[in-house]
Amino acid sequence: MRANTSLVPITACALLLALAAPSRAEDVVEPRSGVRFPTPVEGMSLLGTGVRTRTMLKVKVYAIGLYADDQALKGPLAAFKGRTTSPDFYKAIVWGDFPRQVTMKFVRDVTRDQIQGAFREVLTASDKARVDAFLGYFGDTKSGQEYVIRWTPGRGLLTTVTEGYDRISMHGVRNTLLDA
């Protein structure tokens, strides 16, 4: 008995169309932690994820997602398409005049001293008074809690902490904290 080969081209075309159709994933999963990040957030797109580990045992502390303004991706960041490992790309992300956000989702409990100490390790060349003011908003943190650190042009750094913590706004903090 001979197979019906007239359906093969139709099936192949349908399969190609289905594969070519744009798919919109609602979340991206950071692979080492299993933490989910939404791809769009308030006009910003997720650029990438990672996980923060501590000690030589590689204990997972939090998953992190970096977002940038969609207009910036079409404008000043467009020049870096395919070149995101360039030092100039990192400078553009830090110093660019566009909204961006870092979301930290904790996968273990950490004390106030642990989280503040970790920030202090990387902010050693920054203005101590500003660092102290910024770190004052980070207390004991439970697994499942998240911190959102958002930069808004003209407004400085706006940090939002979930689960009943205060929302802060610090003008000019980006330059003070990151000018190291």
Side-chain angles (χ1 to χ4, degrees):
M1 177 177 243
R2 190 170 163 223
N4 184 351
T5 57
S6 63
L7 291 178
V8 172
I10 294 171
T11 304
C13 284
L15 181 61
L16 284 174
L17 286 173
L19 291 174
S23 63
R24 181 168 171 93
E26 294 301 316
D27 290 333
V28 168
V29 177
E30 194 290 314
R32 294 190 297 162
S33 65
V35 172
R36 302 177 86 72
F37 290 89
T39 51
V41 171
E42 299 179 26
M44 292 184 275
S45 293
L46 181 65
L47 296 183
T49 64
V51 65
R52 168 77 160 146
T53 59
R54 288 295 285 185
T55 77
M56 65 182 163
L57 297 176
K58 302 288 184 199
V59 175
K60 295 174 190 130
V61 181
Y62 58 82
I64 190 166
L66 172 64
Y67 294 84
D69 182 68
D70 290 338
Q71 294 304 313
L73 295 175
K74 295 174 188 170
L77 296 178
F80 297 102
K81 188 171 185 174
R83 296 185 316 115
T84 57
T85 58
S86 159
D88 291 334
F89 173 71
Y90 294 106
K91 287 178 188 172
I93 288 289
V94 170
W95 297 108
D97 190 29
F98 53 85
R100 62 198 155 285
Q101 167 178 311
V102 172
T103 302
M104 299 165 33
K105 296 185 176 191
F106 282 76
V107 295
R108 66 177 295 113
D109 295 353
V110 293
T111 66
R112 175 184 62 97
D113 290 341
Q114 287 172 318
I115 193 167
Q116 289 181 5
F119 273 113
R120 284 185 201 289
E121 285 176 15
V122 297
L123 297 174
T124 57
S126 299
D127 179 85
K128 185 178 177 346
R130 284 287 194 152
V131 169
D132 290 344
F134 175 68
L135 294 181
Y137 290 95
F138 295 91
D140 291 342
T141 304
K142 300 289 182 198
S143 179
Q145 210 171 335
E146 71 180 43
Y147 291 95
V148 177
I149 302 171
R150 182 174 294 152
W151 289 265
T152 305
R155 291 184 44 203
L157 176 69
L158 172 69
T159 302
T160 305
V161 183
T162 59
E163 298 188 33
Y165 284 80
D166 292 334
R167 187 176 195 160
I168 64 169
S169 181
M170 297 180 72
H171 298 287
V173 76
R174 177 189 67 174
N175 295 352
T176 304
L177 291 178
L178 300 176
D179 200 15

